[in-house]
Amino acid sequence: MATAVENDSMPNNTSNSDTQTQEQMSPTPSLHIRSPEDAIDYVTVSDPVIHADGMNKYTSYRVDCRPPINNSDISPDNNNQDDVFLQNNPGQYSSVLRRYSDFLWLYERLHKEKAGSIVPPLPEKQAVSRFSPEFVEDRRRLLEKFLRRVILHPELWEANCLLTFLRADDVTFQHAKNVSKTEDAAANNNSDMSVSGGGAFNIKPSTSAGVKKWFSEAKTTFSGDLVTSPDDDLFDEIERYIEALAIQMKRVSNQASGMVKKSKEIANGMFEFGLAFHQLGQSEGEDLGDKLQLMGSTADTLSSMAAQQADAELKRLEEPFRDYLKTIHAVKLALGRRHDKRVSYTALLHEIQTREANLHRLRMTPGSEAKAYSTEMSLQRYQAAAHAAQEEYAGCSQRVLREVDRFKREKAEEMKLVVLQFIMLEIEVNRSMEKIWGDLVPKLEEGNVAVSSSGNTEQPSIPEPTVVNMPPPPQMQPPQVPSAVPPVSQPVYSNVPSTAVDPMMESSIQYRDNDLPGMGL
């Protein structure tokens, strides 16, 4: 791969696919809050190219770094980490080709050089379909996001491996990878410094500075198998918090995935619903068939909108939660690095105690002066290594504390923005759907209008209820009751007209004289 350094033509093809998708969701402007890494447009990953080198097939990406030429372009009042990065790298344009394994090298070296840092997650490996256009583009976007987050990281932006990754040509970069591989192999094969369960380390004087005074003054003691420090209780609390957070966030992420799945099912169901109305409308004729097909077309529109909603929910809700889970895993890795440093330091202290006992025994044994001298030299090397391991352990512990504090602050703000964007998305979609349904109602009601002979449309009038003026009931004379009452079920009135009496008027009949025979008086 040839490395090209360009000073004039630098592509500015920052991916804005997320913003475009969200803006197409609704005719109303959608709320899209840019993440901090979106503003780091001077570092881009672009132009993926698939290479076939014999049986080896891989994809390379162009990594461009183009900070401003003058420091005057940087606001002196802005203390953002990207400005600090630009101030230390003024006017250096570079364009290099990197493949996924190179990004993986950077990720691993950041864990080694800055142990205890929360290294941003790297896109995962994939064995199948890794050369499909969709996967290549998705990986390019995630690699760019990873690189920008590293540059924004307050603990990682000044790492030597990052500058090597961004600036080195092919020969220099390959040499750096070989050196780091040789160092790792030498450390792993060093039997004297091998620690069971704790990994391996190099005996080099520590260059870390600014170790807290609390650690240098602390009386290191042994408790069980591992060395103790004053902040062990605090780290235990952090580990419990992270474990509980991971469980709760996993549950929320699963629910978000289920919601996206249901939105896709609604889109498919609405499509089938519209298709059924289209077919029904074709079987009917005239006005009814047109109305049924109009209903089917509206369902098709709502199906497309539901599909767009599912895509927007995937980007605004499901992906942020999945990314949050990966960040929580990165916090666990940072805590694990501190644990490794603790184990290494503990093993050295145990080894020093063992060698001190051996040296004392050899000095008490006549004729063992040579072995005693060799053991004493070895003891001194272990003591130097233990001092370096103590500083590394202290520095890693303090870095973890800073990182966890930053994690809590930044992720709380990010979580609030994710929820806010999701709420605004649901409001926009529901308003749009309500408008579509509302516009359909008058179109369906147009078939109820009547057309007069003159061609003018008239709304069908609902007939008013007819009011019938009932004549007043005739004056009723008391009936002449015969001496013998005929055995009938109803009384017979001689003066009642032959016309039928309204049953509703029967209750208005009044008798003038209540002293009638047969009334029970």
Side-chain angles (χ1 to χ4, degrees):
M1 294 182 296
T3 302
V5 179
E6 303 179 2
N7 295 329
D8 298 327
S9 60
M10 287 294 165
N12 190 8
N13 52 354
T14 305
S15 175
N16 294 324
S17 58
D18 295 347
T19 306
Q20 294 175 357
T21 302
Q22 292 169 351
E23 290 178 352
Q24 293 174 357
M25 170 57 60
S26 171
T28 59
S30 61
L31 174 66
H32 177 65
I33 303 174
R34 299 182 65 191
S35 58
E37 56 265 18
D38 292 337
I40 312 300
D41 55 357
Y42 55 83
V43 174
T44 58
V45 178
S46 61
D47 300 338
V49 178
I50 299 177
H51 302 266
D53 185 9
M55 298 297 294
N56 184 22
K57 191 175 181 181
Y58 63 92
T59 304
S60 66
Y61 303 88
R62 175 174 171 171
V63 179
D64 293 313
C65 183
R66 45 185 181 278
I69 299 179
N70 322 351
N71 287 339
S72 60
D73 297 338
I74 306 172
S75 173
D77 299 331
N78 193 348
N79 295 324
N80 290 337
Q81 199 59 49
D82 58 329
D83 290 344
V84 178
F85 179 84
L86 295 177
Q87 290 173 359
N88 290 328
N89 300 273
Q92 297 183 17
Y93 292 91
S94 66
S95 180
V96 296
L97 294 181
R98 298 288 184 252
R99 52 191 294 184
Y100 178 79
S101 59
D102 299 333
F103 283 89
L104 183 60
W105 173 86
L106 174 62
Y107 176 80
E108 294 174 349
R109 292 304 302 174
L110 289 172
H111 275 290
K112 293 181 181 296
E113 291 186 15
K114 301 292 183 179
S117 299
I118 302 177
V119 181
L122 192 68
E124 300 174 352
K125 295 182 179 180
Q126 181 167 324
V128 296
S129 302
R130 59 191 182 98
F131 297 109
S132 63
E134 296 79 8
F135 175 78
V136 171
E137 173 58 26
D138 188 60
R139 171 171 281 186
R140 182 209 64 79
R141 178 178 60 86
L142 294 177
L143 289 176
E144 182 179 77
K145 186 176 184 180
F146 161 77
L147 193 57
R148 291 180 175 184
R149 284 181 171 181
V150 171
I151 293 176
L152 282 173
H153 202 292
E155 302 285 344
L156 304 178
W157 66 273
E158 59 179 356
N160 294 328
C161 58
L162 174 61
L163 297 179
T164 301
F165 179 87
L166 293 174
R167 305 295 187 188
D169 55 26
D170 290 344
V171 176
T172 306
F173 184 68
Q174 188 62 38
H175 175 71
K177 292 177 66 175
N178 293 335
V179 169
S180 61
K181 187 182 300 183
T182 302
E183 290 178 352
D184 294 341
N188 292 330
N189 293 330
N190 193 339
S191 58
D192 289 339
M193 295 299 167
S194 178
V195 180
S196 176
F201 55 90
N202 298 324
I203 307 177
K204 296 190 298 183
S206 175
T207 58
S208 60
V211 179
K212 291 283 186 176
K213 186 178 179 181
W214 65 267
F215 201 98
S216 60
E217 295 179 351
K219 300 298 182 180
T220 304
T221 59
F222 287 103
S223 175
D225 295 332
L226 297 178
V227 66
T228 61
S229 65
D231 284 343
D232 284 344
D233 293 339
L234 178 59
F235 281 101
D236 291 341
E237 181 181 352
I238 292 175
E239 290 180 357
R240 290 192 297 268
Y241 163 74
I242 295 299
E243 289 295 336
L245 180 63
I247 295 174
Q248 297 297 332
M249 190 52 57
K250 180 66 175 178
R251 185 176 304 168
V252 173
S253 179
N254 290 338
Q255 295 299 324
S257 301
M259 181 176 296
V260 173
K261 182 179 179 180
K262 290 180 179 179
S263 297
K264 294 180 180 179
E265 292 176 353
I266 291 175
N268 295 333
M270 190 63 69
F271 174 79
E272 298 292 339
F273 181 76
L275 181 61
F277 266 88
H278 274 297
Q279 295 174 348
L280 181 61
Q282 292 175 357
S283 65
E284 296 289 341
E286 299 180 352
D287 186 66
L288 177 59
D290 294 339
K291 296 300 169 40
L292 293 175
Q293 294 200 24
L294 182 61
M295 181 66 185
S297 300
T298 303
D300 290 342
T301 303
L302 294 174
S303 173
S304 176
M305 181 174 295
Q308 292 182 3
Q309 179 186 8
D311 293 338
E313 288 177 349
L314 175 66
K315 291 180 173 60
R316 296 191 189 185
L317 192 67
E318 184 178 1
E319 287 186 356
F321 282 138
R322 277 191 287 180
D323 184 72
Y324 197 87
L325 277 175
K326 294 178 180 179
T327 305
I328 294 175
H329 180 67
V331 178
K332 293 182 179 180
L333 291 179
L335 293 170
R337 294 289 176 177
R338 176 187 178 271
H339 178 74
D340 293 342
K341 298 294 183 182
R342 184 183 183 185
V343 171
S344 300
Y345 180 41
T346 301
L348 283 173
L349 293 180
H350 279 293
E351 190 66 25
I352 289 174
Q353 289 182 352
T354 301
R355 292 181 180 270
E356 285 179 346
N358 291 338
L359 179 60
H360 179 72
R361 180 178 55 80
L362 291 173
R363 285 177 177 177
M364 299 298 295
T365 303
S368 301
E369 289 78 8
K371 291 184 178 181
Y373 177 78
S374 177
T375 303
E376 184 176 2
M377 293 298 100
S378 177
L379 177 61
Q380 291 178 3
R381 290 194 299 270
Y382 271 92
Q383 288 174 343
H387 178 72
Q390 179 186 12
E391 291 186 347
E392 291 179 1
Y393 175 44
C396 181
S397 298
Q398 291 302 301
R399 187 176 290 117
V400 170
L401 291 178
R402 292 194 301 268
E403 286 286 83
V404 170
D405 180 68
R406 184 179 64 87
F407 166 78
K408 291 182 178 180
R409 288 184 285 103
E410 292 183 358
K411 290 306 174 182
E413 186 67 22
E414 291 178 7
M415 185 64 63
K416 181 175 68 175
L417 295 180
V418 168
V419 174
L420 178 61
Q421 290 192 85
F422 173 73
I423 293 175
M424 297 304 297
L425 169 66
E426 296 301 312
I427 292 176
E428 292 172 2
V429 172
N430 283 279
R431 284 177 177 173
S432 301
M433 289 185 174
E434 181 182 1
K435 183 178 184 302
I436 291 175
W437 285 121
D439 293 342
L440 177 63
V441 172
K443 296 178 182 179
L444 296 180
E445 291 179 344
E446 288 177 357
N448 296 331
V449 300
V451 182
S452 63
S453 59
S454 60
N456 298 328
T457 59
E458 298 179 355
Q459 293 292 338
S461 59
I462 301 176
E464 295 292 336
T466 304
V467 179
V468 180
N469 295 323
M470 299 294 293
Q475 294 294 331
M476 306 297 295
Q477 298 294 331
Q480 300 295 327
V481 181
S483 57
V485 179
V488 294
S489 58
Q490 295 183 355
V492 178
Y493 304 103
S494 59
N495 296 332
V496 177
S498 60
T499 59
V501 181
D502 188 354
M504 298 299 297
M505 302 300 298
E506 291 181 0
S507 60
S508 61
I509 298 176
Q510 300 292 334
Y511 294 97
R512 293 183 177 180
D513 190 0
N514 292 331
D515 298 334
L516 296 177
M519 297 299 294
L521 297 177

